[in-house]
């Protein structure tokens, strides 16, 4: 792959950017700016993932795109945010986690009208970083890059790795290593934990807002369903799409098998459902 560091024309300028998160109340996210790495460089650009955006790896591999993904020169239409969610860590439920080292740049739309959310993993501190540094070691970024593309090769839906940035920035984990930014993309990065965050607080209004947001953005066909049934239909659709190909590959997600007692809990007074777990 030839990297043209002198090309001032970024492929990102050819894409239509928006950020649907901004339609939600402020309690769902915080505005945040990436913290650039020192001396960034492309480790790899993924031609297969780039094609989903109507681009080639060569169109991505230029100085302007590098500086954009490193947070030096974001395009004016990009509004980066970090979202808040709950979840389980080390087997223990934590009522607030959030994007501690992930920043969402927003959605891009390809020529066929398909949208993909672009995230930077390892782009520095966010309001949800807690005691961590917001960085991603190069080794773990490479593992995620390869893992996500292996799943894609098996036909299992998930996030895709668009490109990987290396740097001279030092981060400390078990030992001192170098920091990286993994640029990943997916139709959505919304987790079950986003629902859990508001359910745990008894904030059923925002659970309802999030359910409708997900349906409008990702499953508009469910808008034809009665309002009271939409959350259940949404859950059924997600489980079916998420587990079908896994089972075909010989992986059966016992933890997330679809039973009302495991995946769905009625929310009193709301006639909706609570999503538990993380597919």
């Amino acid at each position: 792959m030839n990297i043209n560091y002198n090309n001032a024309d970024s492929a990102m300028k050819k894409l239509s950017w928006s950020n649907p998160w901004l339609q939600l109340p402020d309690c769902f996210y915080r505005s945040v700016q990436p913290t650039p790495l020192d001396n960034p460089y492309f480790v790899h650009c993924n031609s297969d993932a780039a094609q989903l955006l109507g681009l080639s790896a060569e169109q991505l591999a230029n100085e302007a795109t590098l500086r954009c993904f490193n947070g030096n020169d974001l395009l004016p239409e990009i509004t980066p945010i970090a979202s808040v969610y709950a979840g389980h860590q080390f087997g223990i439920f934590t009522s607030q986690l959030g994007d501690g080292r992930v920043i969402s740049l927003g959605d891009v739309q390809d020529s066929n009208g398909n949208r993909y959310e672009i995230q930077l993993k390892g782009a520095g501190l966010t309001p949800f970083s807690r005691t961590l540094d917001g960085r991603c070691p190069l080794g773990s970024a490479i593992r995620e890059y390869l893992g996500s593309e292996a799943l894609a090769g098996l036909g299992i839906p998930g996030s895709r790795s668009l490109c990987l940035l290396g740097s001279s920035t030092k981060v400390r984990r078990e030992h001192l290593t170098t920091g990286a930014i993994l640029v990943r993309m997916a139709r959505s990065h919304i987790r079950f934990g986003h629902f859990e965050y508001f359910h745990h607080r008894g904030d059923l209004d925002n659970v309802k807002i999030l359910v409708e947001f997900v349906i409008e953005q990702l499953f508009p066909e469910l808008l034809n369903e009665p309002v009271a049934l939409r959350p259940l239909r949404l859950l059924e659709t997600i489980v079916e799409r998420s587990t079908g190909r896994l089972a075909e590959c010989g992986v059966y997600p016992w933890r997330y098998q679809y039973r009302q007692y495991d995946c769905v809990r009625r929310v009193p007074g709301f006639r909706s459902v609570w999503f538990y777990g993380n597919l």
Side-chain angles (χ1 to χ4, degrees), residues 36-145:
L37 295 168
D38 298 326
N39 304 310
Y41 60 90
F42 283 114
V43 175
H44 193 259
C45 289
N46 186 350
S47 58
D48 289 341
Q51 285 177 5
L52 295 174
L53 305 179
L55 303 173
S56 66
E58 288 72 19
Q59 288 178 296
L60 286 177
N62 58 65
E63 179 69 15
T65 303
L66 178 68
R67 291 183 61 81
C68 178
F69 285 150
N70 193 47
N72 299 104
D73 295 315
L74 294 180
L75 298 176
E77 57 268 35
I78 292 178
T79 307
I81 61 98
S83 66
V84 62
Y85 53 81
H88 289 76
Q89 234 180 11
F90 312 112
I92 300 173
F93 178 73
T94 303
S95 60
Q96 178 177 306
L97 292 173
D99 292 325
R101 59 173 176 172
V102 169
I103 295 175
S104 174
L105 298 184
D107 286 15
V108 295
Q109 184 170 309
D110 67 12
S111 57
N112 295 320
N114 297 315
R115 296 205 314 269
Y116 296 90
E117 183 181 359
I118 307 295
Q119 285 191 341
L120 307 179
K121 185 170 184 178
L125 293 171
T126 79
F128 309 113
S129 297
R130 297 182 291 176
T131 60
L132 303 177
D133 60 10
R135 291 303 189 188
C136 183
L138 179 59
S140 63
I142 291 174
R143 285 192 293 273
E144 180 173 339
Y145 191 114

Side-chain angles (χ1 to χ4, degrees), residues 199 204 265-272:
H199 170 82
L204 304 184
R265 182 175 298 179
R266 293 291 175 179
V267 178
F270 178 36
R271 299 186 65 195
S272 182

Side-chain angles (χ1 to χ4, degrees), residues 166-182:
S167 74
S168 63
T169 299
K170 300 299 180 182
V171 298
R172 182 171 294 279
R173 294 298 184 265
E174 293 83 3
H175 52 81
L176 200 63
T177 184
T178 56
I181 291 179
L182 175 65

Side-chain angles (χ1 to χ4, degrees), residues 183-224:
V183 183
R184 63 187 186 185
M185 52 186 276
R187 294 297 304 277
S188 172
H189 289 96
I190 292 177
R191 307 165 178 251
F192 283 99
H194 285 99
F195 295 89
E196 289 182 291
Y197 174 79
F198 293 102
H199 170 82
H200 179 75
R201 287 161 171 73
D203 189 348
L204 304 184
D205 288 339
N206 277 322
V207 173
K208 183 177 180 179
I209 287 173
L210 187 56
V211 167
E212 290 298 312
F213 174 77
V214 171
I215 290 174
E216 290 172 3
Q217 293 294 317
L218 302 168
F219 304 98
E221 66 277 11
L222 298 182
L223 292 173
N224 297 322

